[in-house]
């Protein structure tokens, strides 16, 4: 197997790299936000199998590094030091009038989302985005990404353009839409969900490219994933708009006939025993996923043993970080009773083949009890890496 070296760092200084270090490896990969080189380093790297994956390669070692996990802002008043490199893991919000401040950054890397005025969307040349750039109309009043408006909104509304990154929801029958129109309120958003009785007056308040969705009066909007339970129907009623995933539980079969309206924008997770009842119901889902037996989801670490698969309908493990199967599980039992969906890693000694048959959208399936070695690399990870100064 080739001898490989993988270096991960925010800042990697290769000016002092030694030729014997490069010669010791068959493959070298450097992943960094900033790599500092000089002529000597460039010449050496050109002679050896070195791959640089970086946002900025420079000969300037006097760089100011700034790292933010969460939300970072660029505003007209926040002037950075000279030669600043900013790394954001989360969201970068760029305020109106920040073009000059933005240009002072040597490099900005965003692992997540960038929010900026549309007038600045063409001035992001020094911004590398591993994610999404979302722009809003200059001068607009910014609402929450998903803005659910109730009767109190009209009390504070201004004659202005309001912007929501994701959608605007108008379902409250007490919302005075006529008053909003009279005040000169307008909305810019990709999608709007409107109650039927409000739609005629509300539709003209939105831009022409907004996708309008009309739902029955009395519909309750659920922003996140939900489980169809008796408690949910008691709290929200029998008309539901689930803006996420809907999971059917053991009690859901008896509840489906009670629903008068149900829209699911994500996936409906339906136990195999309830497929017929679900098909006969009023539920409209973007996607339907049939699951096997009991559903276990959203946990960091799960161990599946013989007892968990004893139930007649089996077990479905979904959206878990690491799943370990105990060695005594026979491949026939795994194939008949287990389902694995959207899990990060599954350890399945010694029946990797059986697991592959019941797994869908799983990152790594390991046939041993230890961690799998990825690509045969030796790894190094640091914020700052000076190759050649006793850390090669």
């Amino acid at each position: 197997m080739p001898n490989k070296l993988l270096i991960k760092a925010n800042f990697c200084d290769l000016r002092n790299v030694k030729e014997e270090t490069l010669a010791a490896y068959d493959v070298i990969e450097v992943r960094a936000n900033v790599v500092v080189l000089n002529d000597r380093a460039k010449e050496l790297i050109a002679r050896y199998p070195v791959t640089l994956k970086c946002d900025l390669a420079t000969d300037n070692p006097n760089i100011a590094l700034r790292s933010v996990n969460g939300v970072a802002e660029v505003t007209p008043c926040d002037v950075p030091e000279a030669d600043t490199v900013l790394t954001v893991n989360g969201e970068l919000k760029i305020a109106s009038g920040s073009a000059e401040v933005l240009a002072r950054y040597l490099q900005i890397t965003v692992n997540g989302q960038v929010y900026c005025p549309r007038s600045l969307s063409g001035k992001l040349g020094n911004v590398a985005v591993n994610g999404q750039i979302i722009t809003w109309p200059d001068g607009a009043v910014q609402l929450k990404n998903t803005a659910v408006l109730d009767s109190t909104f009209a009390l504070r509304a201004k004659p202005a353009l309001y912007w929501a990154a994701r959608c605007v929801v108008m379902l409250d029958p007490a919302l005075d839409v006529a008053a909003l129109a009279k005040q000169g309120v307008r909305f810019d958003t990709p999608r709007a969900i409107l109650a039927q009785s409000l739609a005629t007056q509300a539709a003209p308040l939105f831009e022409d490219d907004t996708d309008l969705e009309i739902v029955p009066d009395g519909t309750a909007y659920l922003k996140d994933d939900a489980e169809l339970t008796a408690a949910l129907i008691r709290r929200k009623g029998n008309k539901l708009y689930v803006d996420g995933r809907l999971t059917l539980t053991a009690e859901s079969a008896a509840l489906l006939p009670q629903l008068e309206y149900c829209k699911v924008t994500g996936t409906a997770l339906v136990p195999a025993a309830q497929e017929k009842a679900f098909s006969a119901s009023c539920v409209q889902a973007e996607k339907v996923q049939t699951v096997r037996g009991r559903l276990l989801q959203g946990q960091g670490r799960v161990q599946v043993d013989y007892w968990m698969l004893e139930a007649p309908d089996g077990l479905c493990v979904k959206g878990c970080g690491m799943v370990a199967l105990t060695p005594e599980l026979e491949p026939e039992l795994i194939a008949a009773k287990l389902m694995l969906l959207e899990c990060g890693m599954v350890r399945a000694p010694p029946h990797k083949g059986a697991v592959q048959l019941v797994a869908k959208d799983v990152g790594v399936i390991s046939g041993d009890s230890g961690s799998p070695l990825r690509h045969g690399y030796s790894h190094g990870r640091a914020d700052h890496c000076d190759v050649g100064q006793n850390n090669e």
Side-chain angles (χ1 to χ4, degrees), residues 95-326:
S96 299
S98 300
E100 292 184 7
V101 173
L102 188 65
R104 285 183 59 88
Y105 283 94
L106 190 61
Q107 177 72 29
I108 299 176
T109 300
V110 181
N111 300 308
Q113 294 179 321
V114 174
Y115 293 86
C116 76
R118 289 174 185 167
S119 61
L120 293 180
S121 61
K123 300 180 180 180
L124 302 178
N126 60 339
V127 182
V129 183
N130 301 314
Q132 186 179 16
I133 298 176
I134 299 172
T135 62
W136 73 82
D138 290 71
V141 179
Q142 296 182 42
L143 301 170
K144 293 180 179 180
N145 289 350
T146 298
V148 181
L149 307 186
D150 59 18
S151 59
T152 62
F153 179 79
L155 301 177
R156 297 175 293 184
K158 306 172 184 177
L161 177 65
Y162 286 82
W163 174 79
R166 190 168 178 268
C167 73
V168 170
V169 181
M170 290 186 178
L171 300 180
D172 187 349
L175 177 63
D176 192 344
V177 179
L180 296 180
K182 187 176 180 179
Q183 289 174 308
V185 173
R186 294 177 297 120
F187 296 96
D188 188 331
T189 186
R191 181 167 61 111
I193 304 169
L194 309 177
Q196 192 166 16
S197 61
L198 303 178
T200 300
Q201 291 182 312
L205 305 183
F206 292 86
E207 298 294 309
D208 292 340
D209 59 352
T210 297
D211 181 17
L212 300 180
E213 190 169 359
I214 314 300
V215 302
D217 289 349
T219 298
Y221 176 78
L222 304 176
K223 181 181 177 182
D224 299 314
D225 299 340
E227 289 188 356
L228 183 57
T229 62
L232 177 66
I233 292 180
R234 282 196 302 270
R235 287 187 295 108
K236 298 296 185 179
N238 56 9
K239 298 177 184 178
L240 304 174
Y241 191 107
V242 182
D243 208 354
R245 180 174 61 206
L246 178 66
T247 300
L248 272 65
T249 65
E251 64 176 311
S252 298
L255 301 174
L256 285 169
Q258 299 181 30
L259 295 175
E260 294 183 18
Y261 172 82
C262 186
K263 171 70 178 289
V264 182
T265 62
T267 300
L269 299 175
V270 182
Q274 299 183 28
E275 280 188 285
K276 283 189 176 181
F278 181 84
S279 299
S281 72
C282 65
V283 181
Q284 309 166 43
E286 186 69 23
K287 180 182 177 183
V288 178
Q289 173 72 62
T290 302
V291 298
R292 174 180 289 166
R294 293 174 296 175
L295 179 64
L296 183 64
Q297 62 178 333
Q299 298 193 21
R301 298 174 66 89
V302 173
Q303 179 171 285
V304 178
D305 57 21
Y306 193 89
W307 177 85
M308 297 174 74
L309 298 185
E310 278 188 327
D313 295 331
L315 175 71
C316 177
V317 181
K318 185 179 190 300
C320 295
M322 202 282 285
V323 182
L325 275 64
T326 53

Side-chain angles (χ1 to χ4, degrees), residues 11 34 36 56 58-66 79-87 100-108 126 384:
F11 181 91
V34 179
V36 179
L56 177 67
T58 179
D59 58 2
N60 179 9
N62 301 315
I63 291 175
L65 295 179
R66 181 184 168 203
V79 181
E81 301 177 40
D83 298 327
T84 294
V85 173
L86 172 63
T87 301
E100 292 184 7
V101 173
L102 188 65
R104 285 183 59 88
Y105 283 94
L106 190 61
Q107 177 72 29
I108 299 176
N126 60 339
H384 295 252

